[in-house]
């Protein structure tokens, strides 16, 4: 989850090409946005300034797949300090306010144990899971990953951050 922040949108440009798919129009807006605006939008996808600067510098991207491939490559190149910077902008996944109090307590305890062990928030990409499945996925993920050694968990966390960034980039260029 991302910390609540004002979502930075890539400026909307009027277009006569209404039949162009939304993601292509969004990619065109992203490619033509001023560098500072593109970087700010990317920082909403992944909080590493180096990652966002690298993707901004390599514009224009011919298609969404090229942008996602570049995002993955930049994600694989994150130094530990870059990953720490990105994690500092994340919030641990929570539960719907209507969930039972006991579930909130269990999740809070699991997050506290994780943060105590690894020194950062727990992140997990929940793409593909419905809202009803997400709490169980979060709890199961924390429990499984608490058994990792710090180096193994750093690799898993970096992978989860890449997956989260991909989904956020898709949202960014799709205009959702």
């Amino acid at each position: 989850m991302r910390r609540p922040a004002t979502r930075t949108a890539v400026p909307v440009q009027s277009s006569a090409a209404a039949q162009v798919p939304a993601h292509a129009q969004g990619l065109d807006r992203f490619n033509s946005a001023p560098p500072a605006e593109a970087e700010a939008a990317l920082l909403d996808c992944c909080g590493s300034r180096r990652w966002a600067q690298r993707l901004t510098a390599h514009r224009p991207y011919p298609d969404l797949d090229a942008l996602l491939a570049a995002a993955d490559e930049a994600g694989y190149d994150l130094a530990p300090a870059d990953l720490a910077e990105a994690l500092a902008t994340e919030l641990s996944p929570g539960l719907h306010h209507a969930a039972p109090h006991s579930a909130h307590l269990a999740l809070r305890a699991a997050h506290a144990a994780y943060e105590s062990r690894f020194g950062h928030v727990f992140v997990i990409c929940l793409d593909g899971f419905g809202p009803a499945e997400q709490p169980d996925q979060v709890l199961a993920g924390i429990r499984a990953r608490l058994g990792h050694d710090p180096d193994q968990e750093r690799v898993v966390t970096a992978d989860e951050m890449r997956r989260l960034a991909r989904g956020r980039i898709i949202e960014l260029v799709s205009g959702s």
Side-chain angles (χ1 to χ4, degrees):
M1 292 184 96
R2 302 283 301 156
R3 283 196 173 141
T6 310
R7 205 96 169 117
T8 305
V10 177
V12 176
Q13 298 174 345
S14 59
S15 171
Q19 56 268 43
V20 176
H23 70 274
Q25 291 175 16
L27 184 61
D28 288 343
R29 284 193 306 271
F30 171 75
N31 280 333
S32 63
E37 291 178 22
E39 184 178 323
L42 286 167
L43 283 169
D44 282 342
C45 299
C46 175
S48 164
R49 191 159 301 284
R50 186 170 151 247
W51 179 88
Q53 289 169 342
R54 181 172 169 181
L55 290 177
T56 299
H58 287 94
R59 295 177 308 150
Y61 294 95
D63 54 37
L64 178 59
D65 288 338
L67 173 56
L68 293 174
D72 283 345
E73 183 180 331
Y76 285 115
D77 290 342
L78 288 179
D82 300 320
L83 182 59
E85 179 184 29
L87 286 168
T89 67
E90 297 291 326
L91 285 178
S92 297
L95 298 174
H96 187 274
H97 70 279
H101 182 67
S102 60
H104 284 279
L105 289 176
L107 187 59
R108 235 176 291 157
H111 280 300
Y114 180 91
E115 289 180 30
S116 173
R117 174 143 168 75
F118 297 112
H120 59 79
V121 299
F122 174 79
V123 292
I124 188 170
C125 181
L126 296 170
D127 291 353
F129 293 102
E133 299 171 287
Q134 291 178 3
D136 291 336
Q137 291 298 317
V138 171
L139 279 171
I142 291 174
R143 288 182 184 131
R145 288 167 55 187
L146 277 169
H148 291 171
D149 65 56
D151 289 335
Q152 182 183 20
E153 183 55 22
R154 195 172 8 267
V155 170
V156 172
T157 297
D159 188 53
E160 292 297 322
M161 286 299 299
R162 278 189 298 279
R163 293 177 61 211
L164 286 167
R166 285 178 67 86
R168 293 168 181 165
I169 288 170
I170 292 167
E171 286 180 26
L172 174 70
V173 300
S174 296
S176 349

